Amino acid sequence: MSVPEAHVVGPSAWAVERFGRHAGVVAAAVPEQLAKAHAKAHAAHLAAGLKKRSPYGVALAGVVRENLAETARELGESVRDVRGYEYAVINGYALFPFRYADRPRPLDRARLPANVSPTRRRLFQAHGPDSPDGLFEVDGGLATEEYLGLHEAFEELGSSTRLVCVFFTADAEKGIHVIHWGEAHLEPDRTLTWPYREQLPVAPVPLE
């Protein structure tokens, strides 16, 4: 069961527990880096001159990851390559950015796409929070090779690294609408259960 969402000014106790002395910088950097990523993705959208098949979403996803990796490097923290994608790892927590809608939409309605990659599933299963109350592990005799594989931690991240989800909505014209971060369980139907989540402020788009 999800807890009520916290609206936070400055780093919360949850953020400090995860990012330590970097908590304030990371909490401020996430909205700023998303705003910068939108500016670059919007420029790519305009340059392409396409209306229906826009490169905005693909460009945004890539630039957001790069920007968060830049933040990690500036803090002297790690950047790990997982299947060709860089993830910022700060104080043992990997930032997982994901645009869950192209219009304002409640986080409770967030859902991973039907074609979600095995890599993303495994990130949630192996590096997500502990199983919530009421769920149980599959008996060893019933677990398939695929099931066991999803629960195997990525060596690139390290078995002790946990996932912090950065979920947001955005579109090419209006930019970033809303940003949430927290810890989430990926359910079999691709929806998510949030043991904890916070809403971060949206930063202004930087002037070109």
Side-chain angles (χ1 to χ4, degrees), residues 80-150:
R80 308 283 174 79
D81 186 288
V82 177
R83 302 293 192 269
Y85 295 106
E86 287 190 334
Y87 288 93
V89 179
I90 301 171
N91 198 39
Y93 287 87
L95 295 176
F96 178 83
F98 180 71
R99 183 178 71 138
Y100 67 90
D102 58 5
R103 61 187 183 278
R105 194 174 189 180
L107 184 61
D108 289 336
R109 296 179 63 187
R111 188 175 190 174
L112 266 60
N115 62 346
V116 59
S117 70
T119 296
R120 282 181 170 175
R121 286 186 181 273
R122 185 174 156 194
L123 282 169
F124 276 94
Q125 296 294 346
H127 297 276
D130 295 334
S131 298
D133 294 339
L135 296 185
F136 54 88
E137 293 294 330
V138 173
D139 182 85
L142 300 176
T144 64
E145 183 176 346
E146 180 183 7
Y147 175 88
L148 294 174
L150 286 174

Coordinates of all heavy atoms in Angstrom, one line a residue, residues 80-150:
R80 N 27.5 4.4 -13.7 CA 27.6 2.9 -14.0 C 26.9 2.7 -15.4 O 25.8 3.2 -15.6 CB 27.0 2.0 -13.0 CG 27.5 2.3 -11.6 CD 28.9 1.7 -11.3 NE 29.4 2.1 -10.0 CZ 29.1 1.6 -8.9 NH1 28.2 0.6 -8.8 NH2 29.7 2.0 -7.7
D81 N 27.6 1.9 -16.2 CA 27.0 1.6 -17.5 C 26.3 0.2 -17.4 O 26.9 -0.8 -17.1 CB 28.1 1.5 -18.6 CG 27.6 1.3 -20.0 OD1 27.1 0.2 -20.3 OD2 27.7 2.2 -20.8
V82 N 25.0 0.3 -17.7 CA 24.2 -0.9 -17.7 C 23.5 -1.1 -19.1 O 22.7 -0.3 -19.5 CB 23.0 -0.8 -16.6 CG1 22.1 -2.1 -16.7 CG2 23.6 -0.7 -15.2
R83 N 24.0 -2.1 -19.8 CA 23.5 -2.4 -21.1 C 23.6 -1.2 -22.0 O 22.6 -1.0 -22.8 CB 22.1 -3.0 -21.0 CG 22.0 -4.2 -20.2 CD 22.7 -5.4 -20.8 NE 22.3 -6.7 -20.2 CZ 23.0 -7.2 -19.2 NH1 24.0 -6.6 -18.7 NH2 22.6 -8.4 -18.7
G84 N 24.6 -0.4 -21.9 CA 24.8 0.7 -22.8 C 24.2 2.0 -22.3 O 24.3 3.1 -23.0
Y85 N 23.5 2.0 -21.2 CA 22.9 3.2 -20.6 C 23.6 3.6 -19.3 O 23.9 2.7 -18.5 CB 21.4 3.0 -20.3 CG 20.6 2.7 -21.5 CD1 20.1 1.4 -21.8 CD2 20.3 3.8 -22.4 CE1 19.3 1.2 -22.9 CE2 19.5 3.5 -23.5 CZ 19.0 2.3 -23.8 OH 18.3 2.0 -24.9
E86 N 23.9 4.9 -19.2 CA 24.6 5.3 -18.0 C 23.6 5.7 -16.9 O 22.6 6.3 -17.2 CB 25.5 6.6 -18.3 CG 26.7 6.3 -19.1 CD 27.6 7.5 -19.2 OE1 27.1 8.6 -19.1 OE2 28.9 7.3 -19.4
Y87 N 23.9 5.3 -15.7 CA 23.1 5.6 -14.5 C 23.9 6.2 -13.5 O 25.0 5.8 -13.1 CB 22.4 4.3 -14.0 CG 21.3 3.8 -14.9 CD1 21.6 2.8 -15.8 CD2 20.0 4.3 -14.8 CE1 20.6 2.3 -16.6 CE2 19.0 3.8 -15.6 CZ 19.3 2.8 -16.5 OH 18.3 2.3 -17.4
A88 N 23.4 7.3 -12.9 CA 24.1 8.0 -11.8 C 23.9 7.2 -10.6 O 22.7 6.8 -10.2 CB 23.5 9.4 -11.6
V89 N 24.9 6.9 -9.8 CA 24.8 6.2 -8.6 C 25.5 7.0 -7.5 O 26.7 7.3 -7.5 CB 25.6 4.8 -8.6 CG1 25.5 4.1 -7.3 CG2 25.0 3.9 -9.7
I90 N 24.6 7.5 -6.6 CA 25.1 8.5 -5.6 C 24.8 7.8 -4.2 O 23.7 7.5 -3.8 CB 24.3 9.8 -5.7 CG1 24.6 10.4 -7.1 CG2 24.7 10.8 -4.6 CD1 23.7 11.6 -7.4
N91 N 25.9 7.7 -3.4 CA 25.8 7.1 -2.1 C 25.2 5.7 -2.1 O 24.5 5.3 -1.2 CB 25.1 8.0 -1.1 CG 25.4 7.7 0.3 OD1 26.5 7.4 0.7 ND2 24.3 7.8 1.1
G92 N 25.4 5.0 -3.2 CA 24.8 3.6 -3.3 C 23.4 3.5 -3.8 O 22.8 2.5 -3.7
Y93 N 22.9 4.7 -4.3 CA 21.5 4.7 -4.9 C 21.6 5.1 -6.3 O 22.1 6.2 -6.7 CB 20.6 5.6 -4.1 CG 20.3 5.0 -2.7 CD1 21.1 5.2 -1.6 CD2 19.1 4.3 -2.6 CE1 20.8 4.7 -0.4 CE2 18.8 3.7 -1.4 CZ 19.6 3.9 -0.3 OH 19.3 3.3 0.9
A94 N 21.0 4.3 -7.2 CA 21.0 4.6 -8.6 C 19.7 5.3 -9.0 O 18.6 4.9 -8.6 CB 21.1 3.3 -9.4
L95 N 19.9 6.4 -9.7 CA 18.7 7.2 -10.2 C 18.2 6.6 -11.5 O 18.9 6.5 -12.4 CB 19.2 8.7 -10.4 CG 19.6 9.4 -9.1 CD1 20.1 10.8 -9.5 CD2 18.5 9.5 -8.1
F96 N 16.9 6.3 -11.4 CA 16.2 5.7 -12.6 C 15.2 6.7 -13.1 O 14.1 6.8 -12.6 CB 15.6 4.4 -12.2 CG 14.8 3.7 -13.3 CD1 15.5 3.0 -14.3 CD2 13.5 3.9 -13.4 CE1 14.8 2.4 -15.3 CE2 12.8 3.3 -14.5 CZ 13.4 2.5 -15.4
P97 N 15.5 7.5 -14.1 CA 14.5 8.5 -14.6 C 13.6 7.8 -15.7 O 14.0 7.0 -16.5 CB 15.4 9.5 -15.3 CG 16.6 8.8 -15.8 CD 16.8 7.6 -14.8
F98 N 12.3 8.2 -15.6 CA 11.3 7.7 -16.5 C 10.2 8.6 -16.7 O 9.6 9.1 -15.8 CB 10.8 6.3 -16.0 CG 9.8 5.7 -16.9 CD1 10.2 5.1 -18.1 CD2 8.5 5.6 -16.5 CE1 9.2 4.5 -18.9 CE2 7.5 5.0 -17.3 CZ 7.9 4.5 -18.5
R99 N 9.9 9.0 -18.0 CA 8.7 9.8 -18.3 C 7.5 8.9 -18.5 O 7.5 8.1 -19.4 CB 9.0 10.6 -19.6 CG 7.8 11.5 -20.0 CD 8.1 12.3 -21.2 NE 8.0 11.6 -22.4 CZ 7.5 11.9 -23.6 NH1 6.9 13.1 -23.6 NH2 7.5 11.2 -24.7
Y100 N 6.6 9.0 -17.6 CA 5.5 8.0 -17.6 C 4.3 8.5 -18.3 O 3.3 7.7 -18.5 CB 5.1 7.6 -16.1 CG 4.5 8.7 -15.3 CD1 3.2 8.9 -15.2 CD2 5.3 9.5 -14.4 CE1 2.6 9.8 -14.4 CE2 4.8 10.4 -13.6 CZ 3.4 10.6 -13.6 OH 2.9 11.5 -12.7
A101 N 4.3 9.7 -18.8 CA 3.2 10.3 -19.6 C 3.6 11.5 -20.3 O 4.5 12.2 -19.8 CB 1.9 10.5 -18.7
D102 N 2.9 11.9 -21.4 CA 3.2 13.1 -22.1 C 2.2 14.2 -21.8 O 2.1 15.2 -22.5 CB 3.3 12.8 -23.6 CG 2.0 12.3 -24.2 OD1 1.0 12.1 -23.4 OD2 2.0 11.9 -25.4
R103 N 1.4 14.0 -20.7 CA 0.5 15.0 -20.2 C 0.4 14.9 -18.7 O 0.7 13.8 -18.2 CB -0.9 14.8 -20.9 CG -1.6 13.5 -20.6 CD -2.8 13.3 -21.4 NE -3.5 12.1 -21.1 CZ -3.2 10.9 -21.6 NH1 -2.2 10.8 -22.4 NH2 -3.9 9.8 -21.3
P104 N 0.0 15.9 -18.0 CA -0.2 15.8 -16.5 C -1.0 14.6 -16.2 O -2.2 14.4 -16.7 CB -0.8 17.1 -16.1 CG -0.4 18.0 -17.2 CD -0.4 17.2 -18.5
R105 N -0.5 13.7 -15.3 CA -1.2 12.5 -14.9 C -0.8 12.1 -13.5 O 0.4 12.2 -13.2 CB -0.9 11.4 -15.9 CG -1.8 10.2 -15.9 CD -1.4 9.3 -17.0 NE -2.4 8.2 -17.2 CZ -2.4 7.2 -18.1 NH1 -1.4 7.2 -19.0 NH2 -3.3 6.3 -18.1
P106 N -1.7 11.6 -12.7 CA -1.4 11.2 -11.3 C -0.3 10.1 -11.4 O -0.4 9.2 -12.2 CB -2.7 10.7 -10.7 CG -3.7 11.4 -11.5 CD -3.2 11.5 -12.9
L107 N 0.6 10.1 -10.4 CA 1.6 9.0 -10.3 C 1.0 7.7 -10.1 O 1.5 6.7 -10.6 CB 2.6 9.3 -9.2 CG 3.8 8.4 -9.0 CD1 4.6 8.4 -10.3 CD2 4.6 8.8 -7.8
D108 N -0.2 7.6 -9.5 CA -0.8 6.3 -9.2 C -1.2 5.6 -10.6 O -1.5 4.4 -10.6 CB -2.1 6.5 -8.4 CG -1.7 6.8 -6.9 OD1 -0.6 6.4 -6.5 OD2 -2.5 7.4 -6.2
R109 N -1.3 6.4 -11.6 CA -1.6 5.8 -12.9 C -0.4 5.5 -13.8 O -0.6 5.1 -14.9 CB -2.6 6.8 -13.6 CG -3.9 7.0 -12.9 CD -4.8 8.0 -13.7 NE -5.2 7.5 -15.0 CZ -5.8 8.3 -15.9 NH1 -6.2 9.5 -15.6 NH2 -6.2 7.8 -17.0
A110 N 0.7 5.7 -13.2 CA 2.0 5.4 -14.0 C 2.1 3.9 -14.3 O 1.7 3.1 -13.4 CB 3.2 5.9 -13.2
R111 N 2.5 3.6 -15.4 CA 2.7 2.2 -15.8 C 3.8 2.1 -16.9 O 3.9 2.9 -17.8 CB 1.3 1.7 -16.4 CG 1.3 0.2 -16.7 CD -0.1 -0.1 -17.1 NE -0.4 -1.6 -17.2 CZ -1.5 -2.1 -17.5 NH1 -2.6 -1.4 -17.7 NH2 -1.6 -3.5 -17.5
L112 N 4.6 1.1 -16.7 CA 5.6 0.8 -17.7 C 5.0 0.3 -19.0 O 3.9 -0.4 -18.9 CB 6.7 -0.1 -17.2 CG 7.9 0.5 -16.6 CD1 7.5 1.3 -15.3 CD2 8.9 -0.5 -16.1
P113 N 5.6 0.6 -20.2 CA 5.0 0.1 -21.4 C 4.9 -1.4 -21.6 O 5.7 -2.1 -20.9 CB 5.9 0.8 -22.5 CG 7.2 1.0 -21.8 CD 6.8 1.3 -20.4
A114 N 4.1 -1.9 -22.4 CA 3.9 -3.3 -22.6 C 5.2 -3.9 -23.1 O 5.5 -5.1 -22.8 CB 2.8 -3.6 -23.6
N115 N 6.0 -3.2 -23.9 CA 7.3 -3.7 -24.4 C 8.4 -3.4 -23.5 O 9.6 -3.3 -23.9 CB 7.5 -3.2 -25.8 CG 7.7 -1.7 -25.8 OD1 7.3 -1.0 -24.9 ND2 8.1 -1.2 -27.0
V116 N 8.2 -3.2 -22.2 CA 9.3 -2.9 -21.2 C 10.4 -3.9 -21.4 O 10.1 -5.1 -21.4 CB 8.7 -2.8 -19.8 CG1 8.1 -4.1 -19.4 CG2 9.8 -2.4 -18.8
S117 N 11.6 -3.5 -21.4 CA 12.7 -4.3 -21.6 C 13.0 -5.2 -20.4 O 12.7 -4.8 -19.2 CB 14.0 -3.5 -21.9 OG 14.4 -2.8 -20.8
P118 N 13.6 -6.4 -20.6 CA 14.0 -7.2 -19.5 C 15.0 -6.5 -18.6 O 15.0 -6.8 -17.3 CB 14.7 -8.4 -20.2 CG 14.1 -8.5 -21.5 CD 13.8 -7.1 -21.9
T119 N 15.8 -5.6 -19.1 CA 16.8 -4.8 -18.3 C 16.0 -4.0 -17.3 O 16.4 -4.0 -16.1 CB 17.6 -3.9 -19.2 OG1 18.4 -4.8 -20.0 CG2 18.6 -3.1 -18.3
R120 N 15.0 -3.3 -17.7 CA 14.2 -2.5 -16.8 C 13.5 -3.3 -15.7 O 13.5 -3.0 -14.5 CB 13.2 -1.6 -17.5 CG 13.8 -0.4 -18.2 CD 12.8 0.5 -18.9 NE 13.4 1.7 -19.3 CZ 12.8 2.6 -20.1 NH1 11.5 2.4 -20.4 NH2 13.4 3.8 -20.4
R121 N 12.9 -4.4 -16.1 CA 12.3 -5.3 -15.2 C 13.3 -5.8 -14.1 O 13.0 -5.8 -12.9 CB 11.7 -6.5 -15.9 CG 10.4 -6.2 -16.7 CD 9.8 -7.5 -17.3 NE 8.6 -7.3 -18.0 CZ 7.4 -7.2 -17.5 NH1 7.2 -7.3 -16.2 NH2 6.4 -7.0 -18.3
R122 N 14.5 -6.2 -14.6 CA 15.5 -6.7 -13.7 C 16.0 -5.6 -12.7 O 16.2 -5.8 -11.6 CB 16.6 -7.3 -14.5 CG 17.7 -7.9 -13.6 CD 18.7 -8.6 -14.5 NE 20.0 -8.8 -13.9 CZ 21.1 -9.1 -14.5 NH1 21.1 -9.3 -15.8 NH2 22.2 -9.2 -13.8
L123 N 16.1 -4.3 -13.2 CA 16.5 -3.2 -12.3 C 15.5 -3.1 -11.2 O 15.9 -3.0 -10.0 CB 16.5 -1.9 -13.1 CG 17.7 -1.7 -14.0 CD1 17.5 -0.5 -14.9 CD2 19.0 -1.5 -13.1
F124 N 14.2 -3.2 -11.4 CA 13.2 -3.1 -10.4 C 13.3 -4.3 -9.5 O 13.2 -4.2 -8.2 CB 11.8 -2.9 -11.0 CG 11.5 -1.5 -11.3 CD1 11.7 -1.1 -12.6 CD2 11.0 -0.7 -10.4 CE1 11.4 0.2 -13.0 CE2 10.6 0.6 -10.7 CZ 10.8 1.1 -12.0
Q125 N 13.3 -5.5 -10.0 CA 13.2 -6.7 -9.2 C 14.5 -6.9 -8.4 O 14.4 -7.4 -7.2 CB 13.1 -8.0 -10.2 CG 11.7 -8.0 -11.0 CD 10.5 -8.1 -10.1 OE1 10.6 -8.4 -8.9 NE2 9.4 -7.8 -10.6
A126 N 15.7 -6.6 -8.9 CA 16.9 -6.9 -8.2 C 17.4 -5.7 -7.4 O 18.1 -5.9 -6.4 CB 18.0 -7.3 -9.2
H127 N 17.0 -4.5 -7.7 CA 17.6 -3.3 -7.1 C 16.5 -2.5 -6.4 O 16.8 -1.4 -5.9 CB 18.4 -2.5 -8.0 CG 19.6 -3.2 -8.5 ND1 20.8 -3.3 -7.8 CD2 19.8 -4.0 -9.7 CE1 21.7 -4.0 -8.5 NE2 21.1 -4.4 -9.6
G128 N 15.3 -2.9 -6.5 CA 14.2 -2.1 -5.9 C 14.1 -2.4 -4.4 O 15.0 -3.1 -3.8
P129 N 13.2 -1.8 -3.7 CA 13.0 -1.9 -2.3 C 12.6 -3.4 -1.9 O 12.2 -4.1 -2.8 CB 11.9 -0.9 -1.9 CG 11.1 -0.8 -3.1 CD 12.1 -0.9 -4.3
D130 N 12.7 -3.7 -0.6 CA 12.3 -5.0 -0.2 C 10.9 -5.3 -0.5 O 10.1 -4.3 -0.6 CB 12.6 -5.2 1.3 CG 14.1 -5.1 1.7 OD1 14.9 -5.4 0.8 OD2 14.4 -4.7 2.8
S131 N 10.5 -6.5 -0.6 CA 9.1 -6.9 -0.9 C 8.1 -6.3 0.1 O 8.4 -6.4 1.3 CB 9.0 -8.4 -0.9 OG 9.8 -9.0 -1.9
P132 N 7.0 -5.7 -0.4 CA 6.1 -5.1 0.6 C 5.3 -6.2 1.3 O 5.3 -7.4 0.9 CB 5.1 -4.4 -0.4 CG 5.2 -5.1 -1.7 CD 6.6 -5.6 -1.8
D133 N 4.7 -5.8 2.4 CA 3.9 -6.8 3.2 C 2.8 -7.4 2.4 O 2.2 -6.7 1.6 CB 3.3 -6.1 4.4 CG 4.3 -5.6 5.4 OD1 5.5 -6.1 5.4 OD2 4.0 -4.7 6.2
G134 N 2.6 -8.7 2.6 CA 1.6 -9.4 1.8 C 2.1 -10.1 0.6 O 1.4 -10.9 0.0
L135 N 3.3 -9.8 0.2 CA 3.9 -10.5 -1.0 C 4.8 -11.5 -0.5 O 5.3 -11.4 0.7 CB 4.6 -9.5 -1.9 CG 3.7 -8.5 -2.6 CD1 4.5 -7.7 -3.6 CD2 2.5 -9.1 -3.3
F136 N 5.1 -12.5 -1.2 CA 6.0 -13.6 -0.8 C 6.8 -14.0 -2.0 O 6.5 -13.9 -3.1 CB 5.2 -14.8 -0.2 CG 4.2 -15.3 -1.2 CD1 4.5 -16.3 -2.1 CD2 2.9 -14.8 -1.1 CE1 3.5 -16.8 -3.0 CE2 1.9 -15.3 -2.0 CZ 2.2 -16.3 -2.9
E137 N 8.0 -14.6 -1.7 CA 8.9 -15.1 -2.7 C 8.4 -16.5 -3.2 O 7.8 -17.2 -2.5 CB 10.3 -15.3 -2.1 CG 11.0 -14.0 -1.7 CD 11.3 -13.2 -2.9 OE1 11.5 -13.7 -4.0 OE2 11.3 -11.9 -2.8
V138 N 8.6 -16.7 -4.5 CA 8.2 -18.0 -5.1 C 9.1 -19.1 -4.5 O 10.3 -18.9 -4.3 CB 8.4 -17.9 -6.6 CG1 8.1 -19.3 -7.3 CG2 7.4 -16.9 -7.2
D139 N 8.4 -20.2 -4.2 CA 9.2 -21.4 -3.7 C 10.3 -21.8 -4.7 O 10.1 -21.7 -5.9 CB 8.2 -22.5 -3.5 CG 8.9 -23.8 -3.0 OD1 9.0 -23.8 -1.7 OD2 9.4 -24.6 -3.7
G140 N 11.4 -22.1 -4.1 CA 12.6 -22.4 -5.0 C 12.3 -23.5 -6.0 O 12.9 -23.4 -7.1
G141 N 11.5 -24.5 -5.7 CA 11.2 -25.5 -6.7 C 10.3 -25.0 -7.8 O 10.2 -25.7 -8.9
L142 N 9.6 -23.9 -7.6 CA 8.7 -23.4 -8.6 C 9.3 -22.2 -9.5 O 8.8 -21.9 -10.5 CB 7.4 -22.9 -8.0 CG 6.6 -23.9 -7.2 CD1 5.4 -23.2 -6.6 CD2 6.1 -25.0 -8.1
A143 N 10.4 -21.7 -8.9 CA 11.0 -20.5 -9.6 C 11.6 -21.0 -10.9 O 12.4 -21.9 -11.0 CB 12.1 -19.9 -8.7
T144 N 11.3 -20.2 -12.0 CA 11.9 -20.5 -13.3 C 13.2 -19.8 -13.5 O 13.6 -18.9 -12.7 CB 10.9 -20.1 -14.4 OG1 10.8 -18.6 -14.4 CG2 9.5 -20.7 -14.3
E145 N 13.9 -20.2 -14.5 CA 15.2 -19.6 -14.8 C 15.0 -18.1 -15.1 O 15.8 -17.3 -14.6 CB 15.9 -20.3 -16.0 CG 17.3 -19.7 -16.3 CD 18.0 -20.5 -17.4 OE1 17.5 -21.6 -17.8 OE2 19.0 -20.0 -17.9
E146 N 13.9 -17.8 -15.8 CA 13.6 -16.4 -16.1 C 13.4 -15.6 -14.8 O 13.8 -14.5 -14.6 CB 12.4 -16.3 -17.0 CG 12.0 -14.8 -17.4 CD 10.8 -14.8 -18.2 OE1 10.2 -15.8 -18.4 OE2 10.5 -13.7 -18.7
Y147 N 12.6 -16.2 -13.9 CA 12.3 -15.5 -12.6 C 13.5 -15.3 -11.8 O 13.7 -14.2 -11.3 CB 11.3 -16.4 -11.8 CG 11.0 -15.9 -10.4 CD1 10.0 -15.0 -10.2 CD2 11.8 -16.3 -9.3 CE1 9.7 -14.5 -8.9 CE2 11.5 -15.8 -8.0 CZ 10.5 -14.9 -7.9 OH 10.2 -14.4 -6.6
L148 N 14.4 -16.3 -11.7 CA 15.6 -16.1 -11.0 C 16.5 -15.1 -11.6 O 17.2 -14.3 -10.9 CB 16.4 -17.5 -10.9 CG 15.6 -18.6 -10.1 CD1 16.4 -19.9 -10.2 CD2 15.5 -18.2 -8.6
G149 N 16.5 -15.0 -12.9 CA 17.3 -14.0 -13.6 C 16.9 -12.6 -13.3 O 17.7 -11.7 -13.2
L150 N 15.6 -12.4 -13.2 CA 15.1 -11.1 -12.9 C 15.5 -10.6 -11.5 O 15.5 -9.4 -11.3 CB 13.5 -11.0 -13.1 CG 13.0 -11.1 -14.5 CD1 11.4 -11.2 -14.4 CD2 13.4 -9.8 -15.2

